[in-house]
Amino acid sequence: MKTKSNIERLLEKGEFVVTSECGPPRGSDAEAVRKKGNLLKEVVDGVNVTDNQTSVVRMSSLASCVILKEMGFDPIWQLVCRDRNRIAIQSDILGAAALGINNILCLSGDHQSFGDNPKAKNVYDIDSIQLIHTVKTLRDEGKFLGGDELKGTPSLFIGAAENPFADPYEIRAMRLGKKVKAGCDFIQTQCIYNVEKFSKWMGEVRERGLHKQCAILAGVTPLKSAGMAKYMKKNVPGMDVPDSLIERLAAVPKENQAQEGIKICVEMIRQLKEIEGVRGVHIMAIEWEEKVAEIVKAAGLSPRPA
Amino acid sequence: MIVGNRKPLEEILEMVKPYKKILLLGCNECITVCAAGGEREVGVLASELKLSRAKNGGEIEIKEHTLERQCDFEYIDQIKPFVDDYEAIVSMACGAGIQYTAERFPGKVVLPAINTTFLGVTLEQGVWSERCQGCGECILHLTGGICPVARCAKSLFNGPCGGSSNGKCEVNPDTPCAWQLIVDRLKELGQLENYEKIIEVKNWSTSRDGGPRTRVREDLRIPKDS
Ligand code: SF4
Ligand code: SF4
């Protein structure tokens, strides 16, 4: 084991891991974090804590991680390259490790034009692949980017996101290869609705042997309605929602669409679990955290292993 | 070339409010080519300013003048004989030209009529597009001749990000994703294996981040008499 991470431990035991997500509140109320945490307690093996997702200002990801850690979670600290240069990034990594955070998810971050401060300056001193490498260098070589040695190395399980559906498709597996080369231990994918296309991507991933070098957790997001499905298809860049899914949701009465969405999500998890190289599932139920327990249970993934 | 936009009339009117005699100074280089601050645009702005003033019962005397360049003293000095006849200079050069004109006449108010935007190219008549940010350490040989610093909204060196969709950038559906262009070009060049190499963290000290930059060619300098 490289770290004290719970998900690393379970992956090493060969368990199919389950992670979920908790978005920090738009205010300084710690209770809001705990409330979301309570919905996920004993339901999942690790909780991602988003870093000013969609560029909307929220409570700091690291602070929220610490609150969840105090509740007994093993948080997955998301860190984006949008807001910090390499000085702040390295410093925050050391601080996170000192606070007992065991997992980091390295991301580029959404562009600030999507959020509530579109006039902000972005940083992007380094990109997500360079960030992965930075964490690895700190952890495994005990060195700062500047070359100096550090006293006390941060033991973080290194994750990254990957979108198998973004363009250009032909480099998606290659790009995962770059992340693995940079030092990535696990991957959480963008939410999958097109299982067929995902399987094809996984085939390419296996061809390159990447599934053996990093654990791939397949991302899912339950759809609340046919309207949400249509919206995502149309407005979220790099999101592949097949028409058949939208039609299936539209075919049930409005008041039952959410339940149908959960059903689809559970079916999807069962399918994804069968794909060689998929080592777990990442359930992103944004502002719908109360449904995660139900999904995990219905997918036959409950209770979680100790 | 350097590309810029003329500021909106209201903003320029506000700046020249205190003055009755101004020198409107165009530039015959890039800013002429991108149709923002050449002789023609100087004429248009002068008429607009005079009309607005007249409408409000005021008056303004404007001398229109366009220099070969506003980034060399020898050209700027051509306005020396008459510059003192005016209360302020409104420069229609790029940000460099505006500053250099101001530097040459320290006692004179120099106002900007141009928002300088980027280093770019003419895509077609009337359309210009950004290409370079002058980062000081060019990596175009690694990226199929397409610049990720200037053309990727996140300046990613190992892109694309997950937001690349149908060849477009997540930030704007009218803007091509630089990394889609890079991958396409590498493919065309038979260099897709270049994509697999990780581009290491950039040295930004050669860029603006390292502080204002100066370039010296000692061999070209004219020795100062001792
Ligand atoms: S890499 Fe730097 S110098 Fe080269 S085109 Fe891009 S910004 Fe300009
Ligand atoms: S979509 Fe392409 S150009 Fe836009 S930020 Fe992402 S990688 Fe850069």
Side-chain angles (χ1 to χ4, degrees), chain B residues 151-154 156 159-161 163-164 168-171 176-179:
Chain B
R151 299 180 71 185
C152 165
K154 300 175 186 170
L156 302 179
C161 72
S164 180
K168 302 299 182 199
C169 173
E170 69 171 27
V171 171
C177 165
W179 275 96

Side-chain angles (χ1 to χ4, degrees), chain A residues 178 181, chain B residues 142 157-158 192-199:
Chain A
K178 283 177 88 165
K181 211 188 320 170
Chain B
L142 302 176
F157 287 88
N158 298 282
L192 206 53
E193 75 278 1
N194 261 3
Y195 179 77
E196 292 203 55
K197 293 182 202 141
I198 294 174
I199 299 183

Side-chain angles (χ1 to χ4, degrees), chain B residues 119 131-140 147-150 157 202:
Chain B
L119 299 184
R131 287 294 181 272
C132 174
Q133 285 202 350
C135 75
E137 205 172 79
C138 197
I139 56 148
L140 287 174
C147 172
V149 179
F157 287 88
K202 185 169 175 68

